[in-house]
Amino acid sequence: MTSRRTSIDRLNEARKSSLPTIGRGKPLNSQGSEGDLTFRRISEGLMLYIKANQSWHGVKIGESFS
């Protein structure tokens, strides 16, 4: 018997993402999957990176997390 995914299954899968990770340096575009989040310490400070369109996009965040 074949398992068929419904539109609800696909929607729920699209909403799921892995837990945010923490690391140092800018992530490589070859790392991660669409929708992933990672906090990274870089020379400019703490950044939140979001993987979208096969590349990482950085957002500077405050130092209140240190």
Side-chain angles (χ1 to χ4, degrees):
M1 178 176 186
T2 331
S3 175
R4 294 190 183 195
R5 293 178 14 208
T6 66
S7 58
I8 299 291
D9 293 331
R10 286 190 296 275
L11 180 60
N12 285 336
E13 288 172 9
R15 288 183 181 169
K16 292 179 185 176
S17 66
S18 60
L19 292 173
T21 60
I22 300 171
R24 292 190 179 274
K26 185 177 178 182
L28 300 174
N29 288 334
S30 61
Q31 299 172 319
S33 301
E34 288 292 298
D36 280 356
L37 302 172
T38 185
F39 292 96
R40 296 294 181 108
R41 174 73 58 189
I42 61 171
S43 59
E44 291 85 20
L46 191 61
M47 298 280 286
L48 169 64
Y49 284 93
I50 304 160
K51 179 89 181 245
N53 296 323
Q54 288 78 42
S55 63
W56 289 98
H57 304 275
V59 178
K60 185 158 178 61
I61 58 176
E63 292 297 317
S64 61
F65 292 98
S66 56

